[in-house]
C-alpha cells in the first residue's frame, strides 16, 4: 500500500505571502491530521479532518486553515506568512480508529 | 491538558550497548501510547501502540513497555542503523483525534 504523500517537499516563501500544502492519505483512510514541527516547540497539532469536515483544531491563529476533499485528500493553507511559520509541516492519516501514519513532510522556509 | 516528557534528551551508545528511553505522561484517560522513530528530514515512522498498563510490544531490537505513568523503549544490542530520534505520543479518550508528543530522545549509536 502506498504511504502518505505530501507536496511540495520544500518551499521557500517571503513574509506576507500565502502558501498551500497538499496531502494524499493512505488509500482507505478517511481521517487526515496536520502537525507543525519546529526545533523549539516539537510536534504540535494543527487540525484534523474526517469526511470533509474539520473535527478539531489546535491552538493556532486563524491564518492557518485547511480543507478535505471527497477523495480524502487534504490541503492546508497559511496566509500572511511570518518568519515563525518556518517549520516542517506533517500530514498524518489513519482509519477511523488506530495509529496515525505520517507523510515525509513539507519543509517551509519563510524569509 | 495532556503532558508528555521524554528523557534523556540525547543518548550516545556504543554498538551492542543496550539502554532504555523513558516517556512519562499525564493524561485524563489514556486511549493509547505511541512510539515513533524519526530520521532527519523525514516524517515519523510508526513503531508501537500500547493501550494498557502491563502491555509489552517487540520489534527486532526494540521493546516497548507501559505502566500507569510511564513507558519505556528498550533498545537491545543497538546497531548504527538504530540511530534516530524516538518520539513518544499519547492519545486521550477525551481528545482521541490528536496525538500529544514529547520532545523526543535522539539516539546515536557508534560502531
Amino acid at each position: 500500500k502506498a504511504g502518505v504523500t505530501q507536496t511540495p517537499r520544500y518551499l521557500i516563501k517571503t513574509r506576507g505571502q500565502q502558501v498551500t500544502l497538499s496531502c494524499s492519505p493512505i488509500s482507505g483512510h478517511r481521517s487526515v491530521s496536520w502537525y507543525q514541527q519546529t526545533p523549539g516547540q516539537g510536534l504540535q497539532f494543527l487540525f484534523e479532518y474526517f469526511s470533509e469536515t474539520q473535527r478539531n483544531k489546535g491552538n493556532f491563529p486563524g491564518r492557518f486553515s485547511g480543507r478535505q476533499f471527497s477523495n480524502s485528500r487534504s490541503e492546508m493553507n497559511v496566509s500572511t506568512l511570518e518568519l515563525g511559520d518556518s517549520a516542517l509541516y506533517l500530514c498524518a492519516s489513519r482509519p477511523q480508529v488506530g495509529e496515525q501514519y505520517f507523510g515525509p513532510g513539507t519543509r517551509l522556509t519563510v524569509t | 491538558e495532556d503532558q508528555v516528557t521524554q528523557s534523556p534528551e540525547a543518548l550516545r551508545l556504543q554498538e551492542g550497548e543496550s539502554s532504555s528511553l523513558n516517556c512519562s505522561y499525564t493524561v485524563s484517560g489514556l486511549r493509547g501510547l505511541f512510539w515513533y522513530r524519526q530520521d532527519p528530514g523525514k516524517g515519523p515512522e510508526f513503531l508501537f501502540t500500547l493501550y494498557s498498563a502491563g502491555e509489552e510490544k517487540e520489534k527486532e531490537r526494540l521493546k516497548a513497555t507501559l505502566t500507569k505513568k510511564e513507558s519505556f523503549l528498550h533498545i537491545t544490542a543497538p546497531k548504527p542503523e538504530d540511530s534516530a530520534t524516538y518520539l513518544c505520543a499519547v492519545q486521550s479518550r477525551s481528545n482521541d483525534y490528536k496525538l500529544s508528543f514529547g520532545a523526543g530522545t535522539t539516539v546515536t549509536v557508534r560502531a
Side-chain angles (χ1 to χ4, degrees):
Chain A
K1 228 178 196 182
V4 177
T5 58
Q6 292 187 245
T7 57
R9 293 293 314 280
Y10 303 93
L11 209 48
I12 300 175
K13 289 287 188 179
T14 304
R15 267 188 310 176
Q17 288 185 315
Q18 74 164 17
V19 67
T20 299
L21 313 181
S22 181
C23 170
S24 292
I26 293 171
S27 177
H29 288 189
R30 295 167 64 190
S31 168
V32 174
S33 297
W34 289 88
Y35 292 80
Q36 181 196 65
Q37 187 175 30
T38 59
Q41 299 297 317
L43 269 148
Q44 293 191 295
F45 171 78
L46 279 158
F47 29 66
E48 187 233 8
Y49 286 87
F50 183 86
S51 292
E52 302 179 64
T53 301
Q54 184 183 92
R55 292 203 293 192
N56 298 284
K57 185 173 169 65
N59 192 23
F60 279 82
R63 301 184 297 106
F64 292 82
S65 63
R67 59 178 176 169
Q68 186 180 34
F69 302 95
S70 58
N71 61 359
S72 294
R73 191 177 70 83
S74 177
E75 287 182 348
M76 185 191 121
N77 184 273
V78 188
S79 62
T80 320
L81 284 165
E82 300 177 0
L83 294 178
D85 296 333
S86 294
L88 182 66
Y89 289 89
L90 292 159
C91 167
S93 77
R94 64 169 179 163
Q96 191 161 355
V97 293
E99 52 270 3
Q100 296 186 15
Y101 293 89
F102 286 83
T106 294
R107 170 73 62 186
L108 172 65
T109 302
V110 182
T111 62
Chain B
E1 191 174 321
D2 304 336
Q3 299 266 1
V4 181
T5 303
Q6 292 188 247
S7 63
E9 287 185 19
L11 193 58
R12 292 178 64 87
L13 301 172
Q14 200 66 35
E15 185 173 3
E17 178 189 2
S18 301
S19 188
S20 294
L21 284 55
N22 178 265
C23 171
S24 299
Y25 64 90
T26 304
V27 63
S28 55
L30 180 71
R31 178 174 287 280
L33 185 141
F34 303 82
W35 283 98
Y36 287 86
R37 168 195 169 124
Q38 187 173 27
D39 293 303
K42 297 188 177 182
E45 174 190 346
F46 170 74
L47 292 173
F48 304 109
T49 309
L50 301 167
Y51 292 104
S52 57
E55 190 174 359
E56 298 181 352
K57 293 259 179 90
E58 280 189 75
K59 180 181 179 180
E60 295 180 358
R61 295 176 292 282
L62 301 177
K63 179 179 176 180
T65 61
L66 181 66
T67 73
K68 288 187 177 179
K69 293 183 179 180
E70 56 192 352
S71 177
F72 293 92
L73 184 66
H74 308 277
I75 310 178
T76 302
K79 297 182 178 182
E81 52 262 42
D82 295 321
S83 297
T85 295
Y86 291 86
L87 297 163
C88 171
V90 297
Q91 190 178 59
S92 69
R93 294 186 187 282
S94 57
N95 297 312
D96 67 353
Y97 53 89
K98 72 169 186 177
L99 297 175
S100 296
F101 281 86
T105 294
T106 299
V107 175
T108 304
V109 183
R110 296 165 291 174

